[in-house]
């Protein structure tokens, strides 16, 4: 009788490529020792790579390489010496780990103590009073989802999602809302934002700075549409100089993570988590003082100047008038 042996196939791995510390910043957007920090903070350290599996450090490197490129899995696989399927699985796994800790890194002030600290930080660098941060939206180009119509097409004709963010005086991101199709106006996103619910509770004692695409209220200050005198022009200049911090944050994040500057090639449902993970890593970089060489670049995005017309109730009309009065008082008190 012939004898049969149940032979188990030997799994073969590609030759892994190590990234030397001097290349870490260019390829991974973080210094090598800070990649170690990201690995230990976000990933399970029990993964030791025995039997040819990926170490936790290698998984973090694959994720960082992916977001540091326009998002081509084949290119990352070639760079790291792994299969494309490994890149896909690793990216999804690390993405989930980072997003699971997003609340530890992206925090909007909510208590009186938090608000006072945010105001003090702003006042130490800028001039407009009661401000705790700046707000704006930015677009990320995505593949057109087949299940949707033109709601994801923005005013420039690109298929995008519209992302609302706020930042503080230290250029840290304090909130992210990445669920909106590109056609949705910035003002509408703010109108239903949970962040607005937080700041309006303080009834003008704290506020954000926004561009003219937002409706003015005591808790969101915008520039004068048509400044009539030197004081109002001075206010607009000061407002622009201070509000640009959020544009700078957008520029920093997109320059550090170029995947956000090109067409994102992942499922639309996963794009919000990608944006959140990049925002988390941006804040971690600030925490570690790991600056990117193009940190001062400002995103060149066209602001939407026309505020959409809503059916405002009496309270909303009153709040706009109160916001206009607050802005006028500030403009009269700023030193020209």
């Amino acid at each position: 009788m012939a004898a049969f042996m149940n032979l188990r196939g030997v799994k073969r791995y590609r030759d892994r490529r190590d990234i030397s510390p001097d290349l870490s910043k260019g390829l991974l957007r973080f210094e090598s020792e800070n990649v170690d920090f990201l690995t230990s903070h976000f990933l399970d350290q029990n993964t030791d790579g025995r039997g040819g599996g990926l170490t936790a450090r290698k998984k973090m490197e694959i994720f960082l390489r992916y977001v540091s490129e326009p998002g081509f899995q084949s290119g990352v696989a070639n760079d790291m010496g792994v299969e494309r399927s490994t890149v896909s699985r690793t990216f999804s796994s690390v993405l989930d780990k980072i997003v699971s800790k997003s609340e530890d890194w992206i925090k909007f002030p909510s208590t009186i103590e938090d608000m006072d600290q945010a105001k003090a930080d702003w006042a130490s660098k800028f001039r407009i009073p009661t401000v705790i941060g700046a707000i704006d939206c930015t677009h990320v180009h995505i593949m057109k989802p087949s299940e949707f119509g033109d709601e994801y097409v923005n005013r420039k004709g690109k298929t995008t999602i519209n992302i609302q963010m706020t930042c503080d005086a230290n250029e840290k991101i304090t909130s992210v809302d990445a669920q909106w199709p590109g056609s949705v106006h910035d003002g509408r996103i703010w109108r239903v934002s949970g962040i607005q619910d937080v700041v309006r509770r303080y009834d003008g004692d704290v506020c954000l700075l926004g561009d003219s695409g937002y409706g003015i209220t005591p808790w969101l200050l915008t520039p004068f549409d048509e400044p009539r005198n030197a004081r109002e022009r001075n206010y607009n200049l000061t407002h622009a100089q201070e509000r640009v911090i959020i544009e700078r944050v957008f520029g920093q994040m997109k320059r550090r993570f170029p995947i956000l500057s090109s067409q994102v090639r992942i499922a639309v449902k996963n794009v919000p988590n990608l944006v959140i993970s990049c925002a988390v890593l941006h804040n971690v970089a600030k925490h570690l003082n790991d600056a990117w060489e193009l940190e001062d670049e400002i995103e060149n995005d066209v602001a939407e100047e026309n505020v959409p017309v809503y059916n405002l109730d009496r309270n909303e009309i009153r709040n706009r008038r109160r916001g206009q009065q607050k802005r006028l008082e500030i403009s009269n008190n700023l030193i020209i």
Side-chain angles (χ1 to χ4, degrees):
M1 179 182 292
F4 293 92
M5 298 181 63
N6 184 17
L7 298 178
R8 182 180 179 183
V10 178
K11 189 172 184 178
R12 299 183 180 278
Y13 295 90
R14 296 176 62 178
D15 292 334
R16 304 278 162 73
R17 297 180 180 176
D18 294 327
I19 295 178
S20 61
D22 59 315
L23 295 178
S24 179
K25 193 61 176 285
L27 295 177
L28 305 178
R29 269 34 182 194
F30 283 88
E31 299 290 352
S32 183
E33 61 270 23
N34 292 335
V35 177
D36 287 334
F37 174 89
L38 295 173
T39 303
S40 63
H41 182 72
F42 291 107
L43 301 185
D44 181 3
Q45 293 302 296
N46 293 328
T47 305
D48 58 12
R50 286 179 294 182
L54 296 175
T55 64
R57 163 85 187 207
K58 184 60 67 176
K59 289 180 179 180
M60 182 58 69
E61 288 179 352
I62 289 173
F63 180 86
L64 293 176
R65 188 69 189 132
Y66 190 94
V67 297
S68 300
E69 286 292 302
F72 291 104
Q73 292 182 4
S74 57
V76 176
N78 184 62
D79 288 346
M80 306 302 296
V82 297
E83 302 295 333
R84 284 186 59 184
S85 59
T86 301
V87 173
S88 178
R89 290 194 304 270
T90 302
F91 171 78
S92 296
S93 173
V94 177
L95 178 68
D96 290 342
K97 295 286 188 181
I98 294 175
V99 172
S100 71
K101 292 191 175 183
S102 60
E103 292 184 359
D104 296 336
W105 290 96
I106 302 175
K107 299 179 180 180
F108 193 83
S110 58
T111 67
I112 294 176
E113 292 75 18
D114 291 340
M115 294 293 184
D116 287 343
Q117 183 60 56
K119 283 195 294 185
D121 290 343
W122 194 271
S124 69
K125 299 180 180 181
F126 304 114
R127 300 172 59 200
I128 299 180
T130 73
V131 178
I132 60 170
I135 185 171
D136 203 359
C137 288
T138 187
H139 288 253
V140 169
H141 191 193
I142 60 173
M143 296 185 296
K144 187 173 183 178
S146 59
E147 65 270 30
F148 298 103
D150 293 331
E151 61 179 317
Y152 281 85
V153 179
N154 68 3
R155 65 190 184 280
K156 297 179 181 179
K158 292 184 177 180
T159 306
T160 66
I161 62 171
N162 195 7
I163 302 159
Q164 177 183 276
M165 287 190 184
T166 56
C167 74
D168 62 17
N170 300 311
E171 297 181 351
K172 287 187 176 180
I173 296 166
T174 54
S175 71
V176 181
D177 188 347
Q179 63 178 314
W180 296 92
S183 63
V184 179
H185 194 281
D186 298 0
R188 179 187 169 195
I189 298 175
W190 166 249
R191 184 177 171 84
V192 297
S193 171
I195 298 304
Q196 180 184 207
D197 293 338
V198 174
V199 292
R200 73 182 300 164
R201 289 190 213 127
Y202 295 86
D203 200 33
D205 287 340
V206 299
C207 67
L208 296 167
L209 297 184
D211 64 26
S212 55
Y214 296 93
I216 189 169
T217 63
W219 43 87
L220 200 162
L221 295 179
T222 61
F224 289 97
D225 290 334
E226 298 180 0
R228 299 167 297 178
N229 51 52
R231 290 186 180 277
E232 292 183 2
R233 288 191 293 271
N234 178 60
Y235 167 88
N236 274 12
L237 177 61
T238 303
H239 185 284
Q241 291 171 339
E242 298 187 11
R243 191 200 65 82
V244 76
I245 190 172
I246 186 64
E247 301 289 352
R248 191 157 57 242
V249 167
F250 289 153
Q252 291 171 9
M253 193 170 70
K254 289 187 176 182
R255 294 289 181 175
R256 188 183 287 265
F257 308 117
I259 190 173
L260 299 179
S261 297
S262 58
Q263 186 182 58
V264 178
R265 294 172 176 81
I266 63 176
V268 175
K269 65 180 181 180
N270 296 327
V271 175
N273 277 350
L274 169 65
V275 174
I276 291 171
S277 71
C278 290
V280 168
L281 294 177
H282 168 90
N283 283 359
V284 174
K286 293 294 181 182
H287 171 74
L288 297 173
N289 198 28
D290 192 327
W292 178 241
E293 59 201 40
L294 297 174
E295 289 262 296
D296 289 334
E297 295 260 345
I298 296 176
E299 184 186 35
N300 184 20
D301 197 7
V302 179
E304 295 193 32
E305 300 298 331
N306 296 318
V307 180
V309 176
Y310 300 108
N311 293 321
L312 301 180
D313 60 29
R314 291 184 178 181
N315 285 334
E316 289 170 320
I317 293 173
R318 175 175 172 270
N319 287 333
R320 289 202 174 189
R321 289 174 178 170
R322 289 177 58 213
Q324 292 167 348
Q325 182 62 34
K326 178 177 179 177
R327 179 177 60 189
L328 182 61
E329 291 173 357
I330 291 174
S331 68
N332 288 333
N333 291 323
L334 284 177
I335 298 175
I336 298 178

